[in-house]
Amino acid sequence: MSKDSPSKVSPNADSPSTTRQRRSSDQVTLSQVAQAAGVSPITASRALNYPDKVSDSARLSVLQAVEQLGYVPNLVAGSLASSRSRLIAVIVPSLINSVFVEVIKGLQETLEAEGYQILLGNTDYDLDREYQLVRTFLGWSCSALVTAGLRHNKACHTLLANWDHPIMEVMELGKGMDLNVGLDHVAAGRCMASHLIDKGYRHIVYVGARLSQDYRARMRFDGHQSVLKEEGLDAPLLELDTLGSLQAGAEGLTQVLAQYPHTQAIHFANDDLAAGALLAAQRQGLNVPKDIAIAGFNGLPLGQHVTPQLTTILSPREEMGRLAAKELIRRLSGKNVYRRQHDVGFTLQAGGST
Amino acid sequence: MSKDSPSKVSPNADSPSTTRQRRSSDQVTLSQVAQAAGVSPITASRALNYPDKVSDSARLSVLQAVEQLGYVPNLVAGSLASSRSRLIAVIVPSLINSVFVEVIKGLQETLEAEGYQILLGNTDYDLDREYQLVRTFLGWSCSALVTAGLRHNKACHTLLANWDHPIMEVMELGKGMDLNVGLDHVAAGRCMASHLIDKGYRHIVYVGARLSQDYRARMRFDGHQSVLKEEGLDAPLLELDTLGSLQAGAEGLTQVLAQYPHTQAIHFANDDLAAGALLAAQRQGLNVPKDIAIAGFNGLPLGQHVTPQLTTILSPREEMGRLAAKELIRRLSGKNVYRRQHDVGFTLQAGGST
DNA sequence: AAAACGAATGGTAGCGCTATCATGACAGCG
DNA sequence: CGCTGTCATGATAGCGCTACCATTCGTTTT
């Protein structure tokens, strides 16, 4: 057969002389590779996807043809035919917050090594946006979906509940839809509050930014508050309206000192805020921790490089991503997961700032 | 017709009683939506993709049916049929370096608003890895590809040169394959070196990390070196083998002081290193800039919060991402781009550290 | 020796959608 | 009144690949 291969003629050949539509695309196809290799298309497909299902000679000639023709597999077609895509949807609420980026990094290095690609979505802390992203991503027949957090809106929940692929919810710990890797933020808040009380502080303010969005920071406050309540202490909360940043931390410090002059210690929702406050305190000639003690959350490297070192809670973020990816891969390759829920824990890092 | 819709019978109906294969997927299809809406599948398709190409009544009943059936479009099938995917491949060399994350953020906020999704790839500064990623991404019929940097290996270059979709190379400025948004790193290096000389420093060391990988930092050194040479000064280079980080910066400071005791100023390849050195200097009781002047590159927020403020060069990273995205969208929607090359420039931010 | 089995390969028919062409209806125009 | 142009809709045929069976052939089992 000639190599322009008009494939089969249409069933009823009564069509007149008018040549039917012919959408082309100069792209090299698997059929061309197969032809060059002297095998059938399906064998060529197997040679690439299930190398040990074909003879050595067949595999070799297919690979040679691939090389020679510069064949690039059309993954879209493959996915449609097999309804598997090797795409993993990853949905995070923010890219400014380096915490999520580190999780993504952990996910990516593990998933890419296994031949999965990441489809990235950013909700900007908007659950409706999350729903839209999920819808889109399901349309791509993703192999799995990773999302930050256990909270979703109604529509999103319904959609995901009826989806028959692995779902991994990361960051926090709790009763999720499927798989879950995270840490207990309430406990983390309690841990830090206890530390501050142990250190002798009694007037402690919690400072967070946009807690309605960053509800995990809110959970830490809940833990913090419960400890203080148990000690019979007030647990004032200062909520900033800006995003967490060094700048916001500096402003937080100012506001706390104005509103609660007797404050001995500030428990910040994260290290960006805390470090910003610490650096600002230094600029103002305040002594940390004598004049004011400062604590954060995350364990960012910056905290270890300021003087005094920042007291913080170290959360294993990249590890969280790696673990999540590993569990997903395990599930995707048909094995059972060890556990549906993983507590990655956290570590109190007491520095000189408290 | 019954609603199980076996669609058309195969051309020659001489097949025996054996029911042919039937791969199912409980997923709601566009045909079902069309049926429920009382229109043909193609009209349903148009109602969703080209709303103004159908009558109001048709559009309405299709949208209703979509809602009622919970239809989620199969984007894989759509992409195969139309060979357009609304996916944009983004390839960066690292996610640790926040610089790339900020570019991604700029890209994403702009692209997502236009209904594009990001396929993210990380090369870890490995050009062969980049080639693999490009191959994979081309297989997804991406609408466009964004990659950090102008350097690619031979195979990658060939592949991209024959690809007929927009290619956007970001970060640095130069003769690219297609579109280019970035800044002139050699000029940035010259700029900072000139600043240091203007300030009266004569013994200046450049400190970078893994310059063979981070060749843009190397280009800045080239600029730095040329200025110093013009002034008849030595331009010693200290290359660290770790990745750029606060910790590495602290080590860089130590090594410089040991190897080049007369050093008056250190020009660091980026702000992470510089800030790490500045904080380390403070811990060691060194006066910045009297004992040692320190300069960085990037304009990270951290630099503005340390005391003294870090002298650095501000690069518009998010802006770079946004601009790149806008140009891509412009191109993808058929309009001509204004220019193929955009210089986003940079700004010297002189702080107290020099 | 016959039957049963497994490995390698191939023919066929879709996966769910959209590009292309065709059609019918209706308005505008000489 | 027929001609052309525009609009809304539909029938058909793939996009490039892989799942599903069927077939062949060489090897093992009874």
Side-chain angles (χ1 to χ4, degrees):
Chain A
M1 40 179 90
S2 67
K3 82 164 201 288
D4 64 353
S5 68
S7 57
K8 57 215 152 194
V9 198
S10 76
N12 54 352
D14 64 353
S15 64
S17 61
T18 56
T19 44
R20 215 59 176 113
Q21 71 206 66
R22 213 41 91 212
R23 262 174 296 163
S24 72
S25 74
D26 45 2
Q27 210 192 347
V28 179
T29 71
L30 188 57
S31 295
Q32 293 172 31
V33 169
Q35 200 166 48
V39 298
S40 73
I42 185 66
T43 299
S45 168
R46 278 194 278 253
L48 296 176
N49 296 308
Y50 308 94
D52 44 339
K53 288 215 156 192
V54 299
S55 65
D56 291 356
S57 67
R59 178 158 16 89
L60 214 72
S61 48
V62 168
L63 291 179
Q64 256 173 13
V66 164
E67 183 71 26
Q68 188 207 320
L69 298 176
Y71 169 69
V72 176
N74 185 327
L75 301 174
V76 179
S79 298
L80 179 60
S82 67
S83 51
R84 282 181 286 96
S85 77
R86 295 190 87 74
L87 287 178
I88 309 270
V90 175
I91 299 181
V92 295
S94 160
L95 285 174
I96 305 177
N97 192 329
S98 66
V99 167
F100 299 111
V101 176
E102 291 176 68
V103 176
I104 292 173
K105 187 171 181 318
L107 283 165
Q108 188 177 65
E109 85 182 34
T110 313
L111 291 175
E112 256 185 30
E114 295 283 330
Y116 290 94
Q117 298 308 134
I118 284 187
L119 254 177
L120 184 64
N122 177 356
T123 69
D124 266 319
Y125 286 103
D126 178 347
L127 292 185
D128 294 336
R129 183 95 196 87
E130 184 193 41
Y131 169 61
Q132 288 303 333
L133 284 171
V134 167
R135 246 177 83 92
T136 306
F137 289 163
L138 295 203
W140 279 109
S141 316
C142 287
S143 299
L145 186 142
V146 181
T147 183
L150 296 166
R151 301 193 186 171
H152 317 289
N153 72 19
K154 190 81 198 286
C156 186
H157 192 91
T158 310
L159 201 57
L160 287 178
N162 292 319
W163 195 52
D164 55 353
H165 289 262
I167 297 168
M168 170 66 79
E169 291 163 291
V170 294
M171 302 310 287
E172 72 210 72
L173 209 61
K175 193 168 153 17
M177 309 202 59
D178 186 7
L179 301 172
N180 177 220
V181 170
L183 58 93
D184 184 339
H185 287 262
V186 175
R190 291 186 62 91
C191 172
M192 182 58 81
S194 301
H195 165 80
L196 293 173
I197 286 173
D198 287 351
K199 282 280 181 174
Y201 302 109
R202 287 297 172 269
H203 297 284
I204 308 172
V205 180
Y206 187 94
V207 176
R210 304 231 174 128
L211 295 184
S212 54
Q213 292 183 344
D214 186 358
Y215 65 86
R216 280 174 287 270
R218 173 90 209 184
M219 291 164 84
R220 295 195 291 275
F221 170 67
D222 293 341
H224 163 97
Q225 188 178 34
S226 70
V227 168
L228 267 63
K229 285 273 154 66
E230 282 161 26
E231 296 288 324
L233 299 173
D234 252 4
L237 167 66
L238 179 70
E239 185 167 353
L240 303 167
D241 191 36
T242 53
L243 286 169
S245 66
L246 295 170
Q247 183 58 37
E251 286 159 17
L253 175 68
T254 309
Q255 288 189 34
V256 167
L257 294 179
Q259 284 185 43
Y260 307 98
H262 299 299
T263 303
Q264 299 167 315
I266 309 181
H267 180 179
F268 283 95
N270 63 50
D271 279 0
D272 289 299
L273 292 170
L278 196 149
L279 292 168
Q282 283 180 346
R283 287 197 295 275
Q284 294 167 32
L286 289 170
N287 181 303
V288 177
K290 286 213 177 108
D291 299 328
I292 187 87
I294 289 175
F297 175 83
N298 268 340
L300 295 190
L302 173 56
Q304 305 311 301
H305 286 262
V306 291
T307 317
Q309 287 193 359
L310 184 65
T311 294
T312 187
I313 283 180
L314 186 66
S315 63
R317 299 174 295 281
E318 256 191 71
E319 179 55 26
M320 207 171 350
R322 267 193 300 264
L323 184 57
K326 274 185 203 151
E327 283 296 345
L328 276 182
I329 288 166
R330 171 171 277 276
R331 169 74 78 86
L332 287 171
S333 48
K335 293 172 206 144
N336 282 329
V337 293
Y338 288 133
R339 280 165 289 163
R340 293 172 87 91
Q341 195 176 81
H342 281 266
D343 184 352
V344 293
F346 54 82
T347 319
L348 176 71
Q349 253 182 358
S353 73
T354 55
Chain B
M1 40 179 89
S2 66
K3 81 166 201 291
D4 65 354
S5 69
S7 56
K8 56 216 154 191
V9 198
S10 78
N12 52 352
D14 63 353
S15 64
S17 60
T18 55
T19 44
R20 217 53 176 116
Q21 71 204 69
R22 214 40 91 214
R23 261 173 298 162
S24 72
S25 73
D26 44 1
Q27 210 192 347
V28 180
T29 70
L30 188 57
S31 295
Q32 294 171 32
V33 170
Q35 200 166 49
V39 298
S40 72
I42 185 68
T43 299
S45 167
R46 278 194 278 251
L48 296 176
N49 296 309
Y50 307 95
D52 44 339
K53 289 214 157 194
V54 299
S55 65
D56 290 356
S57 66
R59 176 156 19 86
L60 215 72
S61 49
V62 167
L63 290 179
Q64 257 173 13
V66 164
E67 184 70 26
Q68 187 206 320
L69 298 176
Y71 169 69
V72 176
N74 185 326
L75 301 175
V76 179
S79 299
L80 179 59
S82 67
S83 51
R84 282 181 286 99
S85 77
R86 295 191 86 73
L87 287 177
I88 309 270
V90 175
I91 300 180
V92 295
S94 160
L95 285 174
I96 307 176
N97 192 330
S98 65
V99 168
F100 298 111
V101 176
E102 292 176 67
V103 175
I104 292 174
K105 185 166 184 321
L107 284 166
Q108 188 178 63
E109 84 182 35
T110 313
L111 292 175
E112 258 185 29
E114 295 282 328
Y116 290 93
Q117 299 308 134
I118 285 186
L119 255 178
L120 184 63
N122 178 353
T123 69
D124 266 319
Y125 287 102
D126 178 347
L127 293 185
D128 294 337
R129 183 95 194 86
E130 182 192 43
Y131 169 62
Q132 290 301 334
L133 284 171
V134 167
R135 247 177 82 95
T136 306
F137 290 164
L138 295 203
W140 279 109
S141 316
C142 287
S143 298
L145 185 142
V146 181
T147 181
L150 296 166
R151 300 194 185 171
H152 317 289
N153 72 19
K154 190 80 197 286
C156 186
H157 191 93
T158 310
L159 202 57
L160 288 178
N162 293 320
W163 195 51
D164 54 355
H165 289 262
I167 298 167
M168 170 65 79
E169 292 163 291
V170 294
M171 303 308 289
E172 71 209 71
L173 209 62
K175 191 165 153 18
M177 309 201 60
D178 186 4
L179 302 172
N180 176 221
V181 170
L183 58 91
D184 183 338
H185 287 263
V186 176
R190 292 187 60 92
C191 172
M192 181 58 80
S194 300
H195 165 80
L196 293 173
I197 286 173
D198 288 352
K199 283 279 182 176
Y201 302 109
R202 288 295 173 271
H203 297 284
I204 309 171
V205 179
Y206 187 94
V207 176
R210 302 229 176 131
L211 296 184
S212 54
Q213 293 183 343
D214 186 358
Y215 65 84
R216 280 174 288 270
R218 173 90 210 184
M219 290 164 84
R220 296 194 289 276
F221 170 67
D222 292 341
H224 163 99
Q225 187 178 35
S226 70
V227 169
L228 267 63
K229 284 273 154 70
E230 283 159 27
E231 296 287 324
L233 299 172
D234 252 4
L237 167 67
L238 180 69
E239 185 168 352
L240 303 167
D241 192 34
T242 54
L243 286 170
S245 67
L246 294 171
Q247 182 58 38
E251 285 160 18
L253 175 67
T254 309
Q255 287 189 35
V256 167
L257 293 179
Q259 284 185 42
Y260 308 98
H262 299 300
T263 304
Q264 299 167 315
I266 309 180
H267 181 180
F268 283 96
N270 62 52
D271 279 1
D272 289 297
L273 292 170
L278 197 151
L279 293 167
Q282 283 180 345
R283 287 197 297 274
Q284 294 168 30
L286 288 172
N287 182 302
V288 176
K290 287 215 177 105
D291 298 329
I292 188 88
I294 290 176
F297 175 83
N298 268 340
L300 295 190
L302 173 56
Q304 306 311 299
H305 286 262
V306 292
T307 317
Q309 287 192 359
L310 185 63
T311 294
T312 186
I313 284 179
L314 185 66
S315 62
R317 299 174 295 281
E318 258 192 68
E319 177 56 25
M320 206 168 357
R322 268 193 300 264
L323 184 58
K326 275 185 202 152
E327 283 295 345
L328 276 182
I329 288 167
R330 171 172 279 276
R331 168 74 77 86
L332 288 171
S333 48
K335 294 172 206 145
N336 281 330
V337 293
Y338 288 134
R339 278 165 290 162
R340 293 172 86 93
Q341 195 176 82
H342 281 265
D343 184 352
V344 293
F346 55 82
T347 319
L348 177 70
Q349 254 182 356
S353 74
T354 55

